[in-house]
């Protein structure tokens, strides 16, 4: 009986920990998260690892990719603004989002030219352009030349790297 109670307590602690690391809970634990400060951050991966949930750390800091069609924003049509989930930097507006059927949230332009940073990515035997948050240099996804007008760009982003605030 004592073992069952200990297991139950362990499960409650784990569930509470998971909730605290998502959404607003994560933002409260992250001293670098700001939706108004656009100054560049210089934070080590060691420090980010202490702050960020494991899945977000793997994608944002180690350039992992979440599986297609699993992120919470890939097919969302809610109007609002997308922010960097690591630092809060404003990245995309929903009016630049489009259905690309690739399984990840896709946008044809960033909210402002200096909100993202581009870097050559030759991983996995491919030649691509990585898109990073310009404030914290976290991995967001990649950009491709097969998007709709007016830019003909497709910012293919990992949903885990994004926070979303709906319009009011």
């Amino acid at each position: 009986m004592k073992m069952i109670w200990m297991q139950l307590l362990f499960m409650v602690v784990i569930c509470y920990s998971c909730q605290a690391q998502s959404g607003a809970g994560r933002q409260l634990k992250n001293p670098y998260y700001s939706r108004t400060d656009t100054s560049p951050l210089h934070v080590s991966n060691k420090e980010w690892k202490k702050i960020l949930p494991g899945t977000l750390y793997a994608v944002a800091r180690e350039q992992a990719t979440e599986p297609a069609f699993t992120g919470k924003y890939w097919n969302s049509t809610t109007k609002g603004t997308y922010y960097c989930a690591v630092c809060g930097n404003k990245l995309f507006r929903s009016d630049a989002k489009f259905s690309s059927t690739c399984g990840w949230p896709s946008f044809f332009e960033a909210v402002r030219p200096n909100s993202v940073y581009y870097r050559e990515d030759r991983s996995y035997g491919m030649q691509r352009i990585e898109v990073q948050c310009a404030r914290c240099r976290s991995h967001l996804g990649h950009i491709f030349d097969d998007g709709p007008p007016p830019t003909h760009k497709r910012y293919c982003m990992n949903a885990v790297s994004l926070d979303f605030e709906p319009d009011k």
Side-chain angles (χ1 to χ4, degrees):
M1 187 70 163
K2 184 177 181 182
M3 186 63 143
I4 293 172
W5 281 108
M6 288 178 64
Q7 288 174 335
L8 183 60
L9 178 61
F10 179 75
M11 288 171 49
V12 169
V13 169
I14 294 297
C15 288
Y16 177 76
S17 173
C18 291
Q19 288 175 347
Q21 290 183 2
S22 65
R26 178 178 63 240
Q27 294 167 14
L28 294 175
K29 288 183 160 191
N30 183 347
Y32 306 106
Y33 193 96
S34 172
R35 290 194 174 166
T36 56
D37 186 358
T38 58
S39 59
L41 291 171
H42 303 286
V43 179
S44 70
N45 278 345
K46 184 177 179 181
E47 181 69 15
W48 283 127
K49 194 164 194 161
K50 294 177 190 175
I51 297 169
L52 303 176
T55 305
L56 177 56
Y57 180 84
V59 171
R61 306 308 304 173
E62 296 178 332
Q63 291 74 34
T65 300
E66 66 189 1
F69 306 102
T70 63
K72 60 184 173 180
Y73 304 125
W74 80 269
N75 66 349
S76 174
T77 58
T78 306
K79 300 296 181 198
T81 304
Y82 291 86
Y83 298 86
C84 175
V86 173
C87 72
N89 188 33
K90 190 176 186 179
L91 300 170
F92 303 99
R93 285 281 307 150
S94 60
D95 55 6
K97 189 172 186 292
F98 66 98
S99 177
S100 69
T101 67
C102 68
W104 293 276
S106 297
F107 305 86
F108 61 80
E109 68 183 352
V111 72
R112 59 184 188 278
N114 59 348
S115 63
V116 295
Y117 175 81
Y118 305 97
R119 187 178 77 86
E120 187 175 349
D121 178 2
R122 292 183 176 262
S123 63
Y124 305 108
M126 295 184 272
Q127 186 173 352
R128 303 178 290 176
I129 302 296
E130 177 187 9
V131 179
Q132 296 179 346
C133 170
R135 182 167 185 249
C136 68
R137 295 296 166 94
S138 287
H139 175 74
L140 301 170
H142 292 88
I143 187 170
F144 302 96
D145 291 326
D146 59 358
T151 65
H152 302 283
K153 300 293 183 191
R154 175 172 52 99
Y155 289 80
C156 186
M157 303 291 100
N158 288 285
V160 70
S161 294
L162 303 173
D163 275 341
F164 179 75
E165 184 175 310
D167 288 344
K168 295 179 185 187

